[in-house]
């Protein structure tokens, strides 16, 4: 990936923009992936179908509103998320945020690669009596995903145009088969096991999707118009709940959360293997692509492909270190720690700077802006206390965290003392 092709540190020109459908396919492709299947299965078993539908609807609304706003920021600035963060955190401050976000993205890459490795190993063992170590499949998949990511946005766009429609049709077919194996009335009446409260379930789904909202400018900066940017979010607002339902309902029917075992139970193991590889490839390519953009704002002289290889190597090393054992803790943490970042730059763009981001301004502004870090810390703290049932405002920790961060940053910027930058006109 080169700056010439993907504009890591400069605005995307009009000649490189695309329509909403191309971006929506990439966003939907990110959602048709193994970690999302796992979350959909777990919370459907916990809440039952009625409760799960409520979780999907509420979490989709929260993330959808954030995604609409962050998508507009991307479309109007034509800048990557990580350049946008420099305006509210400062050029040096943003490097710290970007480094943390890069670690998060690499962790997602690791989780997804490991879940894929386990799924492929199960499928080949059951269908072809091939029993090879799981790390071999994980590493092989990671290499293929890395090769796709380093060639940039337009390669992902073309890949998604082929893979995502097939994935969507397959998930609809899985949903159809699951409904054939159980009575709909009984399924709707079947209670959840109560292993996850409604608020925690909503925050878990938000945590699964929130990086898409935070990083939306990486994709929507390529949108031709505001309308294209807003229509592109249908890939998440409509697509993600359907994907989670398509994984959750079979789990309720079969009492199983392992996606490969679910597919075997539906008689789809062979075709499922191909589909799951395609879906994971799409998602992890975006994870790695965004980590390259993030790292490019820190290691400004490094080539994109070098950053991609380093990030992928770190992620694959994490899988060998057993990072998957902490998957659900990580997802809940993302819901309360990553969400405030979106709230801060939404406030900065729409309220503080009145939609005027000029790269030349960054040269004249403080390198570190305390207001953003204070707001981020407050939002994360409130969200964490909510997830631990110590302090709740709305009963949804992720919503509490983004609201507190948004209001705190706006308030501190109005005061002007902590912002050390442009204050909101009175």
């Amino acid at each position: 990936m080169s700056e010439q092709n993907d504009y890591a540190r400069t605005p995307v020109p009009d000649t490189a923009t695309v329509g909403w459908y191309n971006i929506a396919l990439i966003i939907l492709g990110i959602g048709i992936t193994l970690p999302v299947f796992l979350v959909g299965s777990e919370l459907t078993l916990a809440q039952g179908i009625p409760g799960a539908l409520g979780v999907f609807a509420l979490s989709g609304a929260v993330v959808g509103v954030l995604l609409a706003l962050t998508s507009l920021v991307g479309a109007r600035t034509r800048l990557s998320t990580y350049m946008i963060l420099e305006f509210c955190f400062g050029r040096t401050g943003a490097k710290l945020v970007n480094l943390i976000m890069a670690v998060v993205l690499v962790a997602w890459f690791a989780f997804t690669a490991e879940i894929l490795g386990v799924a492929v190993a199960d499928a080949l063992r059951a269908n072809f009596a091939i029993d090879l170590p799981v790390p071999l499949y994980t590493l092989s998949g990671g290499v293929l995903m890395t090769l796709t990511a380093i060639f940039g946005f337009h390669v992902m766009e073309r890949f998604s145009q082929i893979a995502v429609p097939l994935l969507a049709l397959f998930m609809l077919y899985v949903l159809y088969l699951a409904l054939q194996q159980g009575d709909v009335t009984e399924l709707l009446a079947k209670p959840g096991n109560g292993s996850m409260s409604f608020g925690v379930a909503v925050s878990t789904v938000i945590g699964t999707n929130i990086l898409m909202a935070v990083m939306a400018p990486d994709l929507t900066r390529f949108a031709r118009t505001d309308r294209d940017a807003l229509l592109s979010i249908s890939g998440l607002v409509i697509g993600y709940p359907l994907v989670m339902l398509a994984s959750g309902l079979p789990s309720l029917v079969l009492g199983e959360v392992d996606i490969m075992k679910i597919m075997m139970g539906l008689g789809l193991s062979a075709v499922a293997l191909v589909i799951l590889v395609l879906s994971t490839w799409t998602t992890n390519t975006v994870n790695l692509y965004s980590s390259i953009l993030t790292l490019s704002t820190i290691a400004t002289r490094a080539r994109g492909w070098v950053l991609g290889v380093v990030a992928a190597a770190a992620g694959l090393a994490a899988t060998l270190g057993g990072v998957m054992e902490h998957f659900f803790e990580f997802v809940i943490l993302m819901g309360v720690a990553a969400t405030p970042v979106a709230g801060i730059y939404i406030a900065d763009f729409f309220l503080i700077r009145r939609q005027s981001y000029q790269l030349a301004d960054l040269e004249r502004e403080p390198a570190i802006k305390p207001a953003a870090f204070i707001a981020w810390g407050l939002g994360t703290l409130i969200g964490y206390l909510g997830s631990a049932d110590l302090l709740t405002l709305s009963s949804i920790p992720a919503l509490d965290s983004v609201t507190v961060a948004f209001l705190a940053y706006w308030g501190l910027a109005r005061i002007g003392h902590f912002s050390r930058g442009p204050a909101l006109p009175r």
Side-chain angles (χ1 to χ4, degrees):
M1 186 186 76
S2 67
E3 183 166 333
Q4 180 182 0
N5 291 329
D6 271 70
Y7 315 99
R9 293 181 288 273
T10 58
V12 173
D14 290 343
T15 54
T17 57
V18 299
W20 71 270
Y21 180 73
N22 306 69
I23 301 172
L25 280 180
I26 296 176
I27 293 174
L28 177 57
I30 297 170
I32 307 178
T33 188
L34 295 171
V36 175
F37 295 158
L38 179 60
V39 170
S41 297
E42 289 281 4
L43 72 87
T44 302
L45 287 176
Q47 291 286 317
I49 293 294
L53 289 175
V55 169
F56 299 152
L58 185 53
S59 59
V62 172
V63 178
V65 170
L66 283 176
L67 184 56
L69 294 171
T70 57
S71 294
L72 286 175
V73 176
R76 293 177 182 179
T77 64
R78 296 283 175 83
L79 295 172
S80 70
T81 307
Y82 315 103
M83 291 300 297
I84 289 168
L85 292 180
E86 292 190 0
F87 286 91
C88 40
F89 286 91
R91 301 195 81 169
T92 301
K95 292 183 185 298
L96 173 60
V97 182
N98 288 347
L99 181 60
I100 294 171
M101 296 300 290
V103 171
V104 170
L105 289 162
V106 169
W108 268 115
F109 179 87
F111 287 134
T112 308
E114 183 167 353
I115 296 173
L116 176 65
V118 172
V120 171
D122 288 345
L124 293 181
R125 189 182 303 114
N127 291 281
F128 305 103
I130 298 175
D131 192 5
L132 296 175
V134 170
L136 178 64
Y137 301 116
T138 301
L139 294 173
S140 299
V143 170
L144 293 175
M145 298 163 196
T146 304
L147 291 174
T148 307
I150 63 178
F151 288 105
F153 174 84
H154 290 291
V155 170
M156 292 192 303
E157 176 196 351
R158 288 191 288 272
F159 183 78
S160 296
Q161 287 175 345
I162 298 171
V164 174
L166 295 175
L167 297 172
L169 289 173
F170 176 72
M171 293 310 298
L172 288 174
Y173 183 58
V174 168
L175 193 57
Y176 167 77
L177 289 180
L179 289 172
Q180 297 302 303
Q181 295 199 13
D183 182 85
V184 175
T185 303
E186 292 181 2
L187 287 175
L188 290 174
K190 190 173 183 179
N193 58 29
S195 60
M196 191 183 301
S197 70
F198 184 83
V200 171
V202 171
S203 275
T204 301
V205 176
I206 291 175
T208 306
N209 302 332
I210 194 58
L211 278 184
M212 185 66 257
V214 175
M215 303 183 310
D218 290 348
L219 301 179
T220 60
R221 65 199 175 109
F222 288 94
R224 290 196 181 104
T225 64
D226 285 357
R227 179 178 179 273
D228 287 310
L230 291 174
L231 287 174
S232 70
I233 74 172
S234 60
L236 184 147
V237 176
I238 298 173
Y240 276 41
L242 291 176
V243 171
M244 289 194 174
L245 182 62
S247 60
L249 198 146
S251 293
L252 205 58
V253 172
L254 301 174
E256 177 61 65
V257 297
D258 186 305
I259 187 63
M260 206 60 232
K261 291 178 181 177
I262 290 173
M263 296 304 173
M264 290 177 188
L266 296 174
L268 294 172
S269 53
V271 66
L273 178 60
V274 176
I275 294 296
L276 292 176
V277 169
L278 283 176
S279 66
T280 306
W281 195 338
T282 303
T283 302
N284 247 10
T285 294
V286 176
N287 287 335
L288 194 57
Y289 169 76
S290 289
S291 70
I292 293 171
L293 289 178
T294 310
L295 293 170
S296 71
T297 66
I298 302 169
T300 55
R301 296 185 179 181
R303 293 181 178 273
W305 72 266
V306 173
L307 297 175
V309 170
V310 170
L316 295 173
T319 67
L320 300 179
V323 69
M324 191 61 205
E325 296 176 7
H326 307 286
F327 175 71
F328 276 96
E329 294 94 328
F330 175 82
V331 168
I332 293 172
L333 179 61
M334 283 307 93
V336 300
T339 316
V341 175
I344 289 166
Y345 77 73
I346 288 170
D348 189 72
F349 181 72
F350 288 105
L351 300 181
I352 308 304
R353 296 178 186 267
R354 303 296 174 86
Q355 305 188 47
S356 177
Y357 273 8
Q358 303 297 326
L359 292 180
D361 291 343
L362 294 174
E363 301 291 342
R364 301 187 294 270
E365 295 188 8
I368 299 176
K369 297 185 177 180
F373 285 97
I374 293 171
W376 189 18
L378 286 173
T380 301
L381 176 62
I382 294 298
Y384 174 76
L385 292 175
S387 66
D389 291 326
L390 297 175
L391 174 66
T392 57
L393 302 178
S394 68
S395 79
I396 302 172
L399 181 58
D400 294 344
S401 66
V402 69
T403 303
V404 168
F406 177 91
L407 294 175
Y409 181 78
W410 186 25
L412 290 172
R414 286 188 70 91
I415 294 171
H417 177 68
F418 289 103
S419 65
R420 297 178 59 197
L424 181 68
R426 296 181 184 275

